[in-house]
Amino acid sequence: MRILTGLICIAALSACGDSKFADMPQSELQERYSQCENASSLSPGGAITCDNIRRECERRAEDKGRKVCY
């Protein structure tokens, strides 16, 4: 039961991680994406942030039908 509760909490937290990027202006999202792509190494938290940024770029690309982050 504790394992299931832990998995639910992790899923809920990771789902909330993208919400702050949904309202981010396109130019700022592109800048952050570029920083992630050019980083030589990332901390675990930085890697999670970059993954959330990448997912937001993909979400916007699906909505607009074209690549939005370079």
Side-chain angles (χ1 to χ4, degrees), residues 10-30:
I10 290 171
L13 289 174
S14 63
C16 293
D18 292 340
S19 64
K20 68 180 179 181
F21 299 107
D23 295 330
M24 185 178 285
Q26 185 68 30
S27 60
E28 185 177 349
L29 185 69
Q30 288 173 337

Side-chain angles (χ1 to χ4, degrees), residues 48-66:
I48 291 170
T49 298
C50 286
D51 189 49
N52 289 338
I53 290 169
R54 179 190 51 78
R55 282 192 300 222
E56 178 60 22
C57 287
E58 290 172 355
R59 186 194 67 75
R60 290 185 189 191
E62 287 178 15
D63 288 348
K64 297 182 183 215
R66 61 181 169 81

Side-chain angles (χ1 to χ4, degrees), residues 1-14:
M1 184 66 173
R2 289 191 342 183
I3 293 173
L4 180 59
T5 303
L7 290 174
I8 291 171
C9 289
I10 290 171
L13 289 174
S14 63

